[in-house]
Amino acid sequence: MTAETPTGPLGGHLDDDDYPAYTMGRAAAMLGTTQGFLRAIGDARLITPLRSEGGHRRYSRYQLRIAARARELVDQGTPIESACRIVILEDQLEEAQRLNAEYRAAAGAANPPPAT
């Protein structure tokens, strides 16, 4: 088995944060919450789990990080709908900051400062 041709049940998805590797039960256990909580944040459209061929919800590591942040806010007393909205806005802000940094780096490379 080589890195170029991985085999096994995950087929090379071990480093893929977006691969839906976790069942609802496993995800809930990892987060220390209930399956109902995962359903509620799904209903609030914070995360949309993929479905297995049998129709079961499957979660990625990225989705579990998002769910963990929502749980943290709910544990602090924030209503679930508000917690979901906060997490969505935090995620959008992080993405905007990442893109802004990329644009600034590209602009700096295209326009180097004049030599003195």
Side-chain angles (χ1 to χ4, degrees):
M1 175 170 62
T2 66
E4 293 80 30
T5 57
T7 61
L10 295 178
H13 295 288
L14 291 175
D15 294 331
D16 186 353
D17 269 358
D18 295 317
Y19 184 74
Y22 303 99
T23 63
M24 178 180 268
R26 180 69 181 133
M30 290 171 68
L31 294 171
T33 190
T34 65
Q35 293 181 15
F37 175 79
L38 291 173
R39 280 190 286 278
I41 62 174
D43 291 344
R45 297 197 173 135
L46 177 61
I47 58 176
T48 304
L50 292 172
R51 299 283 182 151
S52 68
E53 288 182 20
H56 300 282
R57 292 174 177 90
R58 305 286 293 197
Y59 297 88
S60 68
R61 286 188 300 209
Y62 172 75
Q63 290 173 324
L64 293 183
R65 283 194 300 274
I66 295 291
R69 176 64 179 134
R71 179 171 186 249
E72 181 181 306
L73 291 168
V74 168
D75 287 349
Q76 294 172 2
T78 307
I80 197 161
E81 290 287 334
S82 299
C84 290
R85 184 68 182 139
I86 289 167
V87 173
I88 289 167
L89 290 171
E90 287 174 344
D91 197 48
Q92 289 173 345
L93 176 60
E94 183 180 318
E95 178 67 9
Q97 289 173 329
R98 184 190 65 75
L99 289 171
N100 193 15
E102 285 180 15
Y103 292 146
R104 286 184 179 183
N111 301 317
T116 53

